[in-house]
């Protein structure tokens, strides 16, 4: 399975809670069409379960359902189109199903929030298509498993993430990655390119990576020039990137570079929190870690070209695929260690690779970056991807840079392998109390809402 889709264009604020439900709604519409049921569908009912219910409103999961059922895909979504859909549903109780059939849709009655968890994943959702006699025409259950990836119940049971087809280069874990890279005398970015060439042409891979890099840079620029200085939601959080970008200047201050890395991360994470266009890397919540390290290299080192950006993204996606195959990239499933931690690990390995490090050093950097995110909880205040998420992206980027440097300067053999730390992260996530896995029932989410200390 190609790893390119670890990076995809997504709308904020959450890949699992906004993008995933939107894609699931698109898929349900396609299923209705394939089964020739669209014409006789009178209405659609949807139920959000578990974490999607508990933090769904803050993450716009309910709105994502209405956008997706209306045939809006993440690529097409603009603020104007999104608002038109909401106006039609909320003012008139009408939804234009798949942009081709107007059905009745009452937000209060047709979207149900159920705090129970479905058995196969923390983020479950279910759709029912009903005819005019209120009889069920079609029912399907989906799981939003993180990073905008969506699976049906059947696909979850098949667990099809690991390679099942016979490939020349098959990589399911870090051990196999290192063996393949050494056998073929390639570094991380080159082995990732060789792996992707089994699925796509070289020009497609390069174009895809460059288009992601383009959107990453655009989201930084938009984050520095927002139309409003206040983020949506009850926190009324002030956007800081614009003023920060005007204030910080190149200087001889030895800490100055840290300010720039923070600026890159805050700008992009604020853009995501405001519902803007970002690249899932590997998720929306953690979307700023990887581009911040890339912008750091581009703006504060010599020789970072488009070719380097492609190598960086290829390296990062290979490491991300190991987390996806063997653990999780979902905060609801394994806490923030699975989101910011995975992003930091991906960025650290990619930085080593583009700076000339070998496969062992790249995997060591990935391991170090994750090792120091182990146990990190997901407790978004008010269920919004704002506190602690925005600043956490900056720390993820800074840790990635530090991990890359440590791995490249190291002379001794690391004791902990990348596979060890991936397994530990997943086990830690599974052992973590569900209050700290994107339910907004514990941690900052609880203390902030109690004190009503809303900045
Ligand atoms: S705390 Fe981390 S995992 Fe949770 S929503 Fe924020 S960025 Fe995502």
């Amino acid at each position: 399975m190609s790893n390119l889709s670890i990076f995809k264009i997504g709308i904020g604020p959450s890949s699992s809670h906004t993008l995933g439900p939107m894609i699931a709604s698109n898929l349900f519409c396609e299923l209705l069409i394939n089964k020739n049921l669209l014409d006789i569908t009178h209405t659609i009912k949807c139920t959000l379960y578990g974490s999607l219910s508990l933090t769904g409103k803050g993450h716009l999961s309910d709105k994502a359902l209405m956008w997706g059922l209306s045939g809006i895909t993440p690529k097409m979504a603009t603020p104007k189109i999104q608002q038109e859909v909401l106006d039609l549903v909320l003012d008139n109780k009408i939804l234009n199903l798949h942009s081709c059939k107007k059905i009745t849709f009452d937000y209060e009655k047709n979207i149900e929030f159920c705090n129970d968890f479905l058995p196969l994943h923390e983020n479950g959702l279910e759709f029912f298509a009903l005819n005019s006699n209120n009889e069920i025409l079609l029912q399907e259950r989906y799981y939003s498993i993180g990073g905008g990836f969506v699976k049906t119940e059947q696909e979850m049971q098949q667990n099809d993430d690991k390679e099942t087809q016979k490939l020349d280069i098959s990589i399911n874990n870090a051990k196999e990655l290192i063996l393949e890279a050494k056998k073929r005398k390639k570094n991380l970015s080159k082995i990732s390119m060789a792996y992707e060439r089994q699925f796509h042409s070289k020009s497609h891979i390069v174009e895809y990576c460059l288009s992601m890099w383009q959107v990453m840079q655009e989201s930084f620029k938009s984050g520095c020039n927002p139309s409003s200085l206040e983020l949506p939601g009850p926190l009324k959080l002030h956007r800081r990137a614009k003023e920060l970008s005007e204030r910080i200047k190149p200087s001889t201050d030895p800490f100055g570079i840290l300010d720039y890395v923070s600026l890159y991360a805050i700008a992009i994470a604020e853009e995501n929190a405001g519902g803007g266009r970002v690249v899932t890397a590997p998720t929306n919540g953690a979307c700023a870690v990887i581009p911040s390290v890339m912008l750091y290299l581009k703006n504060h080192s010599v020789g970072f070209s488009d070719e380097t950006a492609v190598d960086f993204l290829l390296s990062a996606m290979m490491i991300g695929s190991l987390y996806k195959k063997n653990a999780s990239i979902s905060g609801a499933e394994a806490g923030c260690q699975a989101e910011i931690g995975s992003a930091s690990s991906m960025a650290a390995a990619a930085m080593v690779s583009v700076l000339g490090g070998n496969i062992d050093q790249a995997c060591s950097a990935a391991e170090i970056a994750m090792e120091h995110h182990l146990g990190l909880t997901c407790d978004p205040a008010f269920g919004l991807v704002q506190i602690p998420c925005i600043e956490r992206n900056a720390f993820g980027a800074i840790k990635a840079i530090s991990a890359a440097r440590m791995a490249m300067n190291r002379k001794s053999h690391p004791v902990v392998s990348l596979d060890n730390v991936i397994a530990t992260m997943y086990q830690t996530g599974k052992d973590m109390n569900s209050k700290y896995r994107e339910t907004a029932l514990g941690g900052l989410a609880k203390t902030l809402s109690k004190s009503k200390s809303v900045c």
Side-chain angles (χ1 to χ4, degrees):
M1 185 188 200
S2 164
N3 297 325
L4 285 186
S5 58
I6 294 267
F7 297 114
K8 55 179 117 35
I9 296 171
I11 52 157
S14 167
S15 44
S16 54
H17 288 58
T18 324
L19 192 56
M22 193 171 179
I23 291 170
S25 308
N26 293 156
L27 291 172
F28 189 67
C29 286
E30 280 168 29
L31 202 58
L32 277 174
I33 293 168
N34 292 342
K35 292 188 180 287
N36 287 323
L37 293 171
L38 198 79
D39 284 346
I40 52 168
T41 298
H42 178 69
T43 193
I44 306 269
K45 290 199 170 173
C46 329
T47 307
L48 295 166
Y49 289 96
S51 174
L52 288 181
S53 167
L54 287 158
T55 63
K57 285 195 178 161
H59 287 69
L60 314 185
S61 308
D62 47 355
K63 291 180 178 164
L65 293 176
M66 296 184 265
W67 294 325
L69 288 173
S70 302
I72 312 301
T73 62
K75 264 194 180 171
M76 296 159 61
T78 62
K80 185 171 175 282
I81 294 176
Q82 289 167 288
Q83 195 54 50
E84 282 169 6
V85 169
L86 298 183
D87 289 345
L88 188 64
V89 176
L90 302 176
D91 297 346
N92 305 301
K93 297 187 173 40
I94 290 173
L95 187 143
N96 194 7
L97 187 60
H98 200 58
S99 299
C100 56
K101 181 174 191 263
K102 291 203 164 63
I103 60 167
T104 58
F105 195 95
D106 183 340
Y107 173 89
E108 299 296 336
K109 292 184 184 150
N110 288 46
I111 299 182
E112 190 190 347
F113 293 83
C114 174
N115 293 350
D116 297 341
F117 287 80
L118 290 181
L120 300 182
H121 194 278
E122 288 73 359
N123 295 328
L125 65 165
E126 197 160 30
F127 296 91
F128 302 85
L130 304 170
N131 66 14
S132 51
N133 295 326
N134 220 22
E135 292 160 343
I136 297 175
L137 296 169
L138 184 66
Q139 175 178 356
E140 187 61 271
R141 194 177 267 190
Y142 296 92
Y143 292 91
S144 176
I145 60 168
F149 291 96
V150 170
K151 285 185 175 183
T152 61
E153 186 133 286
Q154 202 186 2
E155 287 164 341
M156 288 294 284
Q157 278 152 351
Q158 286 164 352
N159 189 17
D160 58 357
D161 264 0
K162 296 210 174 175
E163 304 296 356
T164 44
Q165 60 188 120
K166 192 86 193 93
L167 296 169
D168 276 351
I169 307 175
S170 169
I171 297 173
N172 285 308
N173 52 49
K175 189 175 173 200
E176 288 176 7
L177 168 63
I178 293 169
L179 281 174
E180 285 289 351
K182 288 189 174 169
K183 189 166 92 186
R184 291 162 202 271
K185 298 192 177 21
K186 292 186 187 297
N187 69 2
L188 178 56
S189 67
K190 297 288 176 277
I191 190 69
S192 181
M193 172 60 98
Y195 177 82
E196 286 306 317
R197 289 284 285 109
Q198 300 177 115
F199 310 99
H200 309 286
S201 67
K202 186 172 179 189
S203 60
H204 175 81
I205 296 164
V206 169
E207 269 169 40
Y208 188 89
C209 290
L210 287 177
S211 68
M212 294 299 119
W213 176 220
Q214 178 70 26
V215 175
M216 286 172 170
Q217 293 176 92
E218 283 166 9
S219 55
F220 168 62
K221 283 190 192 128
S222 314
C224 290
N225 293 291
S227 50
S228 159
L229 279 181
E230 190 177 289
L231 285 172
L235 283 166
K236 300 194 183 309
L237 202 64
H238 186 75
R239 291 180 74 144
R240 291 140 73 186
K242 183 174 177 2
E243 288 150 6
L244 194 56
S245 69
E246 288 160 359
R247 246 187 353 258
I248 63 169
K249 302 268 176 279
S251 74
T252 51
D253 176 356
F255 304 113
I257 296 224
L258 284 181
D259 295 337
Y260 276 101
V261 177
S262 300
L263 166 66
Y264 305 143
I266 289 171
I268 297 169
E270 284 181 349
E271 189 58 13
N272 175 61
R277 221 162 73 112
V278 294
V279 173
T280 63
T283 65
N284 274 40
C287 68
V289 175
I290 287 170
S292 299
V293 177
M294 294 174 79
L295 286 166
Y296 158 74
L297 289 171
K298 181 180 173 218
N299 296 336
H300 307 278
S301 73
V302 179
F304 191 93
S305 61
D306 277 356
E307 199 182 323
T308 325
V310 172
D311 284 347
F312 194 103
L313 292 175
L314 279 166
S315 303
M317 74 176 70
M318 174 56 80
I319 300 297
S321 77
L322 305 182
Y323 284 100
K324 190 165 168 284
K325 284 174 183 164
N326 299 291
S328 171
I329 53 168
S330 158
E333 195 180 2
C336 197
Q337 48 167 8
E339 294 206 14
I340 296 283
S342 299
S344 185
S345 180
M346 292 160 71
M351 179 167 156
V352 167
S353 187
V354 302
L355 291 181
N358 62 33
I359 188 74
D360 286 321
Q361 290 170 314
C363 288
S364 171
E367 185 284 314
I368 294 169
M370 174 52 81
E371 190 178 315
H372 304 289
H373 280 95
L374 286 178
L376 193 66
T377 59
C378 169
D379 55 353
F382 290 83
L384 304 164
V385 192
Q386 298 178 7
I387 294 176
C389 321
I390 294 169
E391 288 176 357
R392 195 163 278 179
N393 274 270
F395 283 98
I398 288 164
K399 279 195 200 177
I401 295 167
S402 184
R405 300 291 301 170
M406 265 190 222
M408 291 189 80
N409 287 328
R410 179 174 203 150
K411 294 284 172 234
S412 59
H413 188 71
V415 173
V416 185
S417 73
L418 179 53
D419 283 328
N420 287 152
V421 87
I422 291 174
T424 306
M425 183 274 272
Y426 193 48
Q427 194 52 55
T428 307
K430 286 291 165 199
D431 290 342
M432 205 179 262
N433 188 306
S434 67
K435 283 194 290 191
Y436 303 110
R437 287 190 278 129
E438 208 159 359
T439 53
L441 294 173
L444 279 173
K446 198 79 182 164
T447 44
L448 260 187
S449 64
K450 257 191 201 154
S451 68
K452 293 197 174 56
S453 163
V454 288
C455 304

